[in-house]
Amino acid sequence: MARRPDFPRTRRGRVAAVLACLAVSAAAACTAPSASSRVVVAGDSLTALAQPALSAALDGRYPLDYLFRISARTDQITPLMEADRAARGTPDAVVVNLGTNDAVEGGRPADARAAWDDLVHAVRGVPCVVLTTVNTNADALGRTDRAATINARIEALAAAEPRRVKVVDWNGFVRGLSPAGAATYLRPDGIHETDAGAAWLAAADRAALASCGTGLPGPAPTTG
C-alpha cells in the first residue's frame, strides 16, 4: 500500500479469525469476513510502543493498519481516521488508545468533549470498536480530571452499544497494580508501558476483538 505523505507510519499485519463474528448491530447476523477485512489501530506513543506486540498478537489473515503519532491528542488523530476512511472505506474494526495527551495537556473541558464527539463520529458504522481507558496518572500531570472524564465516556459508549463497543480497561489494570507490578508494566514516568505492559495491551485488544458482535463484555484487567 502506498504511504500517504500526511499520514503517520502505516504497516500491515494480520488479526485473528475471531473477527468472523463481527456484527453491525445487535440484530445483525454473524458473517464470515472477506479477504478485504481490515482493522485500524489509532493512538499515540502508547500505540507506538505497543506496535510490535500488537502486530504479533493480532497476526492472522486480516490487514492491520496503524494511525498514530507520538504526543498526539485525540483531535489530532481523528482527522487521520476520517481521511483513511474516505480513502479506503469503513474498516471492519477500530482499536483506539487515545486521551492520554488530552489529559496531560489539560486545557478546556469543552475541547476534550468536542474531540471525543468527533471521534465517535469518525467510528460511526464501524462494526467493532475497541476503546482503551486512559491511565489516570495523566490527570496528575495535567492537573485536571480529563482522563477520568474520558473513561466515563468510554464506559457509557460501551453500555449503550455492548455488542459493537468493547473496553480494554488499561486504567483499571494500572490502578490494581502493586508497586512491584507498576515497575513491571509501567515506565518510570507512570504513563508509558514497558514491554510487559505492551504485551498486556496486545492480549487485551485481541480478547476484545474476539468478543465483538456478542453480548460478552470486554476482557477484565488481570495482573501478572
Side-chain angles (χ1 to χ4, degrees):
M1 179 185 69
R3 289 177 56 187
R4 295 175 60 91
D6 57 336
F7 272 32
R9 180 174 51 180
T10 300
R11 291 184 182 177
R12 297 179 71 82
R14 298 157 72 86
V15 296
V18 294
L19 288 181
C21 219
L22 291 179
V24 174
S25 68
C30 233
T31 58
S34 69
S36 62
S37 299
R38 73 185 179 102
V39 176
V40 169
V41 182
D44 47 34
S45 56
L46 275 74
T47 298
L49 290 170
Q51 183 178 10
L54 285 165
S55 293
L58 302 181
D59 185 31
R61 60 173 291 189
Y62 305 104
L64 177 66
D65 294 328
Y66 290 93
L67 298 176
F68 63 78
R69 282 182 177 164
I70 293 173
S71 300
R73 300 184 308 271
T74 302
D75 66 300
Q76 294 170 317
I77 298 297
T78 298
L80 301 181
M81 297 168 65
E82 291 279 24
D84 172 82
R85 181 171 180 156
R88 305 189 62 205
T90 302
D92 297 278
V94 174
V95 176
V96 177
N97 192 347
L98 288 166
T100 299
N101 293 302
D102 304 52
V104 169
E105 292 187 17
R108 298 190 310 142
D111 294 336
R113 287 194 296 270
W116 270 77
D117 287 344
D118 289 342
L119 176 65
V120 171
H121 184 261
V123 299
R124 65 199 181 281
V126 176
C128 175
V129 179
V130 176
L131 302 177
T132 311
T133 60
V134 181
N135 176 357
T136 51
N137 287 344
D139 278 341
L141 296 175
R143 298 182 179 181
T144 69
D145 62 352
R146 186 68 46 76
T149 300
I150 291 171
N151 292 343
R153 180 74 179 275
I154 288 172
E155 295 293 345
L157 290 168
E161 295 188 84
R163 293 176 64 91
R164 189 177 81 96
V165 179
K166 302 299 178 179
V167 178
V168 167
D169 194 6
W170 172 241
N171 184 59
F173 175 71
V174 168
R175 300 272 68 80
L177 292 172
S178 66
T184 298
Y185 291 97
L186 292 173
R187 295 176 183 237
D189 63 7
I191 297 293
H192 294 93
E193 75 274 24
T194 62
D195 288 347
W200 187 94
L201 283 166
D205 286 338
R206 181 177 59 196
L209 289 168
S211 69
C212 272
T214 75
L216 298 175
T222 57
T223 58

